[in-house]
Amino acid sequence: MKIAVLGGDGYCGWATALHLSARGHAVSIVDNYSRRQWDDELGIQTLTPIRPLAERLQIWKGLTGNTIELFVGDVTDYDFLAAAMKEMEPEAVIHFAEQRSAPYSMLDRAHAAFTQVNNVVGTLNLLFAIREFQPDCHLIKLGTMGEYGTPNIDIEEGYIEIEHNGRKDLLPFPKQPGSFYHLSKVHDSHNIMFACKIWKLRATDLNQGVVYGTVTEETSLDEALINRFDYDEIFGTVLNRFCVEAVIGHPLTVYGHGGQTRGFLDIRDTVRCIELACSNPASPGEFRVFNQFTEQFSVRELGSMAQTAARKMGMDVEIACLPDPRVEAEDHYYNAKHSKLIELGLKPHFLSDSLLDSLMNIAARYRDRIDPEVILPRINWREPRNCRSHPKKATVAAGGSF
Ligand code: NAD
Ligand code: USQ
């Protein structure tokens, strides 16, 4: 298939582009490198030393003979996106190209506005570009499990049948997101659902849980293909953070009671889920939703698992219970369905002792690059403030300041 990967320089996008290219698909990447700029803006860097994208693509071609085309530009720029779509003529578009950090979106007003414009306008542009140039193309959009929040009932895969005053309907599952970032995903979902209805586009919304790990079959072929591994308070996800913290003897930063429960998956399952969505497309007019995670854990459970793995390696690390900087339920019911991707053939990589060991080993290997200053949380949901500079793109995207 001809597949476009929007956001292919990022964590999930890079691993996915290589996975699909290795399986014989004609892959193109679209990215504007904004994520690398946000790292500069915030003074953070991935634990692993990632190479410039053009260099990574050359190395991939040298190793496999496969060319991945590159389109550098911003998906919020419709002229750029339209030209890229016309040239790529994709049968599937995988859309990862968003600002994906909840803390970044809660920094202050400017970052909240930037996140929503970048994400919502980018997705809206993509819907119009698909309608105009590739109406039969399958949109695979990365949503998030956090769109649902933590309701006191089981979470279904996208839709719930409701009986009200004697009548029944199948309706979108209620959304109670916990940050301006997570809200941007809800707005995207509504826009995509509407576009499928009015223009008969075909779309799959993958409500992905928190991803951990960095190694996939393809990225491990050569050190120069290594993927990102974020551990800072803004872009680092919880398990990756705990592994880095353990390695430098920093108490594991469990927020609040640690009863916050989320769906998790290995990056190797992310790439497989995307492949499954590509090879089993939605029908014209269908807005399909899959919950993309393999296991659920509380933050406290993950802390204990990381602590045990660290102790096995001779590192004694404590669990710190920090006041929760976020506004979220710290002890709650959580049971989310996730059977549709399994039915399509996903064979999960569950979180095992050996995987935790390998994560710790990666953290230990790049220990010299760990900056302890970026670990403790400073962004407080209750007190947004202009504590950092604006994203470089903010003024460009809106044609003026937010
Ligand atoms: P990432 O920040 O590593 O990658 C995103 C990429 O998109 C970056 O390379 C960035 O430069 C690019 N990008 C952003 N805005 C762009 C724009 N306007 N135009 C062109 N390129 C743009 O993020 P990730 O972790 O790979 O996440 C990818 C997607 O998956 C996001 O939509 C995120 O919401 C979703 N997701 C991620 C996780 C996770 O744990 N990482 C979990 C659930 C969902
Ligand atoms: N947490 C801690 N300690 C930490 C970091 C996080 O206790 O040091 C807690 C958070 O309070 C939260 C949970 O761990 O309750 C998950 O936080 P996270 O930072 O690992 O993940 P989150 O902010 O939810 O965002 C990540 C990705 C985002 C994606 C989301 C999937 O950055 O792009 O959408 O996971 S989900 O959580 O299912 O919405």
Side-chain angles (χ1 to χ4, degrees):
M1 288 172 76
K2 287 162 93 172
I3 303 179
V5 179
L6 278 47
D9 189 39
Y11 173 52
C12 300
W14 174 238
T16 300
L18 296 192
H19 182 80
L20 295 173
S21 171
R23 275 144 197 84
H25 297 291
V27 176
S28 302
I29 284 179
V30 176
D31 206 296
N32 66 347
Y33 305 138
S34 52
R35 179 56 209 284
R36 293 177 187 248
Q37 290 167 19
W38 303 330
D39 286 353
D40 290 347
E41 174 210 349
L42 299 165
I44 55 177
Q45 62 173 5
T46 144
L47 172 73
T48 45
I50 57 167
R51 305 275 181 101
L53 181 56
E55 194 181 321
R56 299 205 275 189
L57 294 177
Q58 276 303 323
I59 289 159
W60 176 247
K61 188 175 178 183
L63 284 169
T64 63
N66 296 346
T67 301
I68 296 179
E69 297 292 340
L70 175 57
F71 294 81
V72 178
D74 187 334
V75 298
T76 67
D77 172 351
Y78 189 70
D79 292 342
F80 159 76
L81 184 64
M85 283 292 281
K86 276 194 269 187
E87 203 173 325
M88 296 187 293
E89 297 183 322
E91 294 156 84
V93 175
I94 304 159
H95 182 22
F96 293 107
E98 298 204 328
Q99 190 302 97
R100 67 107 171 134
S101 158
Y104 189 91
S105 76
M106 300 303 294
L107 260 166
D108 56 23
R109 186 195 57 78
H111 289 78
F114 171 77
T115 299
Q116 294 214 348
V117 171
N118 188 63
N119 296 0
V120 178
V121 173
T123 297
L124 197 60
N125 279 352
L126 182 57
L127 292 168
F128 274 83
I130 292 175
R131 187 199 71 86
E132 203 173 341
F133 306 111
Q134 285 293 111
D136 197 41
C137 161
H138 177 203
L139 168 62
I140 298 165
K141 165 68 171 46
L142 269 291
T144 176
M145 284 302 293
E147 291 182 42
Y148 301 118
T150 53
N152 200 30
I153 57 171
D154 292 347
I155 295 172
E156 303 297 322
E157 292 197 67
Y159 297 91
I160 182 168
E161 189 173 81
I162 293 183
E163 189 170 343
H164 181 62
N165 292 345
R167 300 183 65 83
K168 273 190 200 166
D169 205 348
L170 187 67
L171 297 169
F173 196 90
K175 306 285 176 82
Q176 302 181 78
S179 72
F180 289 118
Y181 152 71
H182 287 97
L183 272 155
S184 74
K185 295 292 203 184
V186 174
H187 305 328
D188 284 344
S189 296
H190 288 147
N191 286 343
I192 301 169
M193 187 178 183
F194 182 67
C196 288
K197 190 164 104 182
I198 57 170
W199 299 327
K200 298 278 174 269
L201 303 189
R202 46 171 99 219
T204 303
D205 205 0
L206 295 173
N207 282 341
Q208 186 170 237
V210 189
V211 185
Y212 58 79
T214 191
V215 175
T216 57
E217 199 182 320
E218 294 76 27
T219 59
S220 58
L221 282 178
D222 192 297
E223 171 93 32
L225 300 177
I226 200 162
N227 202 353
R228 307 186 61 94
F229 187 117
D230 297 299
Y231 68 93
D232 63 277
E233 63 144 333
I234 299 180
F235 279 98
T237 48
V238 62
L239 185 59
N240 289 1
R241 276 167 62 71
F242 287 170
C243 294
V244 165
E245 290 163 2
V247 160
I248 57 166
H250 190 292
L252 306 185
T253 53
V254 169
Y255 298 163
H257 298 175
Q260 302 94 310
T261 303
R262 302 285 183 269
F264 288 84
L265 75 163
D266 187 308
I267 182 84
R268 290 172 295 178
D269 290 336
T270 292
V271 301
R272 177 70 181 135
C273 288
I274 306 284
E275 185 191 356
L276 286 168
C278 284
S279 45
N280 299 276
S283 305
E286 185 183 13
F287 175 65
R288 195 171 60 165
V289 184
F290 296 161
N291 290 347
Q292 180 168 311
F293 70 95
T294 59
E295 292 174 278
Q296 54 181 63
F297 297 103
S298 71
V299 169
R300 200 165 40 223
E301 284 170 328
L302 288 178
S304 312
M305 289 164 84
Q307 188 181 42
T308 307
R311 283 189 176 149
K312 263 193 352 204
M313 294 170 77
M315 302 177 290
D316 203 12
V317 63
E318 297 304 314
I319 295 184
C321 287
L322 303 176
D324 195 336
R326 306 186 184 194
V327 177
E328 59 186 353
E330 294 174 23
D331 285 299
H332 58 90
Y333 177 78
Y334 198 78
N335 184 32
K337 306 276 173 67
H338 55 109
S339 58
K340 291 188 183 172
L341 284 157
I342 304 275
E343 282 158 21
L344 288 180
L346 175 67
K347 304 239 173 336
H349 294 86
F350 294 117
L351 181 54
S352 60
D353 290 350
S354 63
L355 194 270
L356 272 167
D357 292 350
S358 104
L359 280 177
M360 294 279 177
N361 281 323
I362 291 168
R365 181 157 166 217
Y366 295 104
R367 188 198 170 98
D368 289 352
R369 289 171 56 90
I370 300 174
D371 177 0
E373 293 292 310
V374 302
I375 287 179
L376 279 178
R378 276 170 291 199
I379 297 167
N380 190 321
W381 264 225
R382 295 165 191 85
E383 286 176 33
R385 59 206 155 100
N386 286 302
C387 53
R388 290 193 170 84
S389 61
H390 292 194
K392 286 179 188 142
K393 238 170 51 68
T395 47
V396 179
S401 146
F402 286 116

